[in-house]
Amino acid sequence: MPRHSITRLFNIEFPLIQAGMIWASGWRLASAVSNAGGLGIIGSGSMYPHVLKEHIQKCKAATSKPFGVNLPMLYPDIEAHIKTIIEEKVPIVFTSAGNPKTYTSLLKAHGITVVHVVSSSKFALKAQEAGCDAVVAEGFEAGGHNGRDETTTFVLIPAVCNTVSIPVIAAGGIATGRQMLAAMVLGASGVQVGSRFVASDEASSHIHFKNAVINTSEGDTILTLKQLTPVRLIRNAFYQQVQQAEKDCASPEALQTLLGRGRAKKGMFEGDLEEGELEIGQVSALIKKIMPAADIVREIREEYEALLQQPLE
Ligand code: NDP
């Protein structure tokens, strides 16, 4: 397939996809990104089924362009989400954190384009075999849920491109046009950007969290909770408690108790920067400003297109 085939697959102008992030990407962000020529995605993992329905309907009213829904397969009420997605005729679904075999054929039978998020070539092949239209290959740098192999984007993208024939969307550590170009040179057909869009006006995350994102430096995020589901987050008081528990050889059950319920909401939505879980990627160290999502798309596109015209040396 030609390199920019995902623009045709999704019927979008520019191969930039906004990641579906819990507590950050509702209809406002998704529609703003789609209206700007990328692909906006509603992150359904933090939404009750009736909330997802409302966001899909508002997104449809706010844009005539295609948009998608991210469906983390760990979501407790996944069947209800799938019913809503089918009823509302959402054109594109990005599935993550689970087996792509489970729902891909059902979604595709309803005419939905299905993309699965993977962290290794092995899982990419499984996604292709399950009938997915494309994969997102997400490297170690990415925020939130992450793979166990800890393969960096720079290694993962060529490895996945060598393994599958469906389009590969690069994710993890991408926030600028220069990084996008690097990912495309590695063989990607497009990029998925999360952290940069958390620092947007339209993201539904708490302003304290957005400010924390633009104030991080290199080394401020870490991949932790590997005994449960590995997650990249900002090192804060909650992380220090996890670290101490791990030093004390806490069991997975004890870590689960420490994590409790709703930590992500507490940190990212309610703005509790000490006791909450603050999921963000390494690339936050490069993000310095909260901006309108359309300006983020424009800035990445302009930098990418300008660099394309320049010799590589
Ligand atoms: P927790 O178990 O700690 O808390 C559940 C949270 O999800 C609560 O804040 C709750 O909101 C909200 N929620 C939304 N719908 C439901 C539902 N049907 N049943 C129960 N709770 C619901 O989970 P997390 O916050 O860690 O994760 C929530 C979801 O997000 C999971 O499905 C997980 O897989 C996904 N996730 C996705 C990530 C990504 O990168 N895409 C990253 C991390 C998690 P309330 O407090 O209002 O009840």
Side-chain angles (χ1 to χ4, degrees), residues 129-173:
E129 286 164 2
C132 292
D133 297 285
V135 285
V136 172
E138 187 181 69
F140 173 71
E141 299 92 323
H145 284 179
N146 205 306
R148 293 189 180 276
D149 293 345
E150 307 196 357
T151 308
T152 61
T153 302
F154 218 79
V155 173
L156 183 66
I157 302 312
V160 172
C161 289
N162 287 341
T163 306
V164 296
S165 55
I166 53 178
V168 176
I169 298 161

Side-chain angles (χ1 to χ4, degrees), residues 20-23 44-49 70 72-77 81 96-97 143-145 231 259-265 268 277 279:
M21 301 164 290
I22 59 165
W23 302 115
S44 72
S46 48
M47 295 176 178
Y48 281 89
N70 171 238
M73 289 182 178
L74 298 173
Y75 182 76
D77 209 355
H81 269 3
S96 56
H145 284 179
V231 62
L259 176 63
R261 184 176 179 278
R263 281 269 182 191
K265 181 181 186 184
M268 300 189 283
E277 198 179 321
E279 299 178 12

Side-chain angles (χ1 to χ4, degrees), residues 203-225:
S204 53
S205 22
H206 198 282
I207 187 65
H208 290 174
F209 178 47
K210 294 184 192 182
N211 284 329
V213 169
I214 61 171
N215 285 315
T216 56
S217 304
E218 281 173 56
D220 283 352
T221 74
I222 188 158
L223 189 67
T224 186
L225 289 168

Side-chain angles (χ1 to χ4, degrees), residues 7 12-17 36-39 180 297 300-301 304-305:
T7 50
I12 56 174
E13 268 174 50
F14 186 62
L16 170 59
I17 293 121
L39 182 70
M180 176 172 178
V297 174
I300 292 175
R301 186 173 184 168
Y304 171 79
E305 288 175 348

Side-chain angles (χ1 to χ4, degrees), residues 198-262:
V198 171
S200 71
D201 293 335
E202 293 86 348
S204 53
S205 22
H206 198 282
I207 187 65
H208 290 174
F209 178 47
K210 294 184 192 182
N211 284 329
V213 169
I214 61 171
N215 285 315
T216 56
S217 304
E218 281 173 56
D220 283 352
T221 74
I222 188 158
L223 189 67
T224 186
L225 289 168
K226 294 178 193 171
Q227 291 186 67
L228 305 176
T229 303
V231 62
R232 179 175 296 283
L233 42 69
I234 295 176
R235 299 168 194 260
N236 62 354
F238 163 63
Y239 166 68
Q240 304 302 339
Q241 292 165 41
V242 172
Q243 197 186 26
Q244 188 56 51
E246 284 174 343
K247 269 190 195 148
D248 297 341
C249 302
S251 64
E253 293 74 27
L255 284 173
Q256 189 59 58
T257 304
L258 170 60
L259 176 63
R261 184 176 179 278

